[in-house]
């Protein structure tokens, strides 16, 4: 918000707060957000979620509902800015590695993505948490720490408080290096998508894409196993079908190779 002050004459800026209702100080955080919007002379919007804390994967459910709200609220030419930074990028990359994610997951957090009718933009991914804190201290800014960020029951917090500090003691530049890895993975994913499109144009049967769209087995069998898997992932994504797991996809490609003869 402080940085955006110089853009108020060019853009309509609104502070958007989501009250998840999960913290004992949720109302305090909402009031703080309202006060900050008033202090900076910004528009203000608040939405409140009703989440059952007893159900599993609370963090993911909260995120999904939050971004569903954002997608519904964004209009054409709107941009939603979030303050994800380089440390968040490192945490996300490590978390996705532990989950066995593919190139899309190892890309971690993208700089921008379409969201609803607008765009989601993360301008601080090249900035570390320490740099942000130094900036805030220098300008005497106020903020509130979400108490859930200290709960190591959540995998991300465990990485933040228990794993990354150990890595950084050994490799002080780890955040920057992990950020570079995510950028390289983003480039690799783009290359894979472009290659998949080339193969798709040769293998797809028909012009209308739906969940019933078929691929030519003969064309698939000419490709290397790596390109077969890449094309099948692309095909499923184009058809809006849930991705196939790692083992199932490799078995499918093995059977394609077996049936070639």
């Amino acid at each position: 918000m402080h940085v955006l002050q110089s853009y108020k004459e060019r853009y309509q800026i609104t502070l958007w707060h989501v009250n998840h209702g999960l913290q004992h100080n949720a109302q305090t955080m909402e009031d703080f957000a309202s006060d900050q919007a008033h202090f900076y002379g910004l528009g203000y919007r608040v939405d409140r979620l009703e989440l059952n804390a007893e159900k599993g994967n609370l963090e993911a459910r909260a995120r999904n509902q939050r971004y569903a709200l954002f997608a519904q609220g964004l209009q054409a030419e709107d941009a939603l800015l979030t303050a994800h930074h380089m440390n968040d990028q490192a945490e996300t990359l490590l978390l996705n590695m532990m989950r066995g994610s593919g190139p899309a997951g190892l890309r971690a957090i993208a700089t921008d993505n379409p969201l609803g009718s607008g765009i989601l933009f993360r301008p601080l991914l090249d900035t570390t948490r320490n740099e942000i804190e130094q900036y805030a201290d220098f300008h005497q800014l106020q903020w509130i720490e979400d108490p859930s960020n200290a709960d190591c029951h959540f995998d991300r917090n465990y990485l933040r408080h228990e794993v990354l500090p150990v890595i950084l003691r050994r490799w002080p530049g780890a955040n920057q290096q992990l950020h570079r890895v995510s950028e390289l993975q983003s480039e690799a994913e783009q290359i894979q998508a472009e290659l998949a499109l080339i193969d798709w144009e040769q293998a797809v049967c028909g012009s209308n894409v739906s969940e019933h769209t078929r691929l030519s087995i003969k064309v698939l069998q000419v490709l290397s196993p790596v390109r077969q898997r890449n094309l099948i992932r692309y095909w499923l994504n184009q058809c809006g079908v849930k991705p196939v797991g790692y083992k199932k996809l490799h078995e499918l490609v093995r059977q394609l190779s077996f049936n070639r003869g």
Side-chain angles (χ1 to χ4, degrees):
M1 288 185 296
H2 189 267
V3 174
L4 289 173
Q5 293 309 293
S6 59
Y7 294 90
K8 285 199 301 184
E9 300 301 319
R10 297 173 56 189
Y11 301 100
Q12 179 182 346
I13 302 174
T14 299
L15 188 160
W16 194 344
H17 178 73
V18 179
N19 185 338
H20 298 84
L22 297 172
Q23 303 294 336
H24 70 277
N25 64 338
Q27 188 58 51
T28 300
M29 290 192 286
E30 180 181 321
D31 293 340
F32 177 78
S34 176
D35 291 342
Q36 291 294 299
H38 182 265
F39 178 80
Y40 285 105
L42 305 178
Y44 180 65
R45 171 174 173 173
V46 61
D47 284 282
R48 299 176 181 88
L49 301 179
E50 294 183 7
L51 295 167
N52 186 345
E54 301 301 321
K55 291 186 178 180
N57 207 341
L58 180 61
E59 189 177 28
R61 287 189 293 113
R63 182 187 185 282
N64 290 339
Q65 289 196 31
R66 182 168 65 250
Y67 277 90
L69 272 174
F70 294 152
Q72 292 169 7
L74 291 180
Q75 305 298 318
E77 300 184 355
D78 284 349
L80 174 70
L81 274 63
T82 64
H84 292 94
H85 47 73
M86 192 181 293
N87 297 56
D88 295 320
Q89 182 76 290
E91 293 165 10
T92 301
L93 177 59
L94 290 174
L95 190 60
N96 288 344
M97 287 174 63
M98 294 301 99
R99 291 170 175 168
S101 298
L106 297 183
R107 180 194 63 196
I109 305 174
T111 303
D112 57 84
N113 291 109
L115 185 62
S117 298
I119 187 171
L120 169 62
F121 184 53
R122 304 176 178 95
L124 299 179
L125 284 181
D126 289 330
T127 308
T128 66
R129 177 187 177 93
N130 185 55
E131 289 171 332
I132 294 172
E133 289 178 338
Q134 288 178 353
Y135 178 94
D137 288 337
F138 179 81
H139 292 283
Q140 299 182 333
L141 306 182
Q142 294 180 310
W143 68 88
I144 291 181
E145 291 281 352
D146 186 336
S148 68
N149 288 340
D151 185 358
C152 286
H153 172 75
F154 297 112
D155 290 341
R156 179 179 294 277
N157 291 341
Y158 180 79
L159 283 171
R160 178 179 301 160
H161 298 295
E162 302 292 338
V163 177
L164 268 171
V166 176
I167 293 175
L168 289 169
R169 281 199 295 272
R170 178 75 179 191
W171 296 282
N175 281 324
Q176 288 80 1
Q177 296 301 329
L178 290 170
H179 180 59
R180 183 179 300 173
V181 169
S182 70
E183 290 181 327
L184 292 172
Q185 286 296 327
S186 181
E187 292 181 5
E189 186 188 20
Q190 183 176 343
I191 292 171
Q192 285 181 309
E194 292 175 359
L195 181 59
L197 178 59
I198 294 172
D199 292 338
W200 162 271
E201 291 174 345
Q202 298 297 318
V204 69
C205 300
S207 56
N208 295 324
V209 179
S210 72
E211 61 182 6
H212 304 295
T213 299
R214 295 171 294 118
L215 295 179
S216 166
I217 292 179
K218 288 185 178 180
V219 174
L220 267 171
Q221 289 178 331
V222 173
L223 303 175
S224 67
V226 172
R227 287 177 68 169
Q228 288 178 6
R229 291 191 292 270
N230 188 46
L231 175 56
I232 291 170
R233 292 191 195 97
Y234 183 87
W235 168 51
L236 294 175
N237 182 62
Q238 290 294 107
C239 297
V241 178
K242 185 178 179 181
V244 173
Y246 176 86
K247 291 183 179 179
K248 289 183 178 180
L249 183 56
H250 276 69
E251 175 61 20
L252 172 59
V253 169
R254 188 193 69 80
Q255 291 185 27
L256 285 172
S257 176
F258 179 77
N259 291 330
R260 188 182 312 185

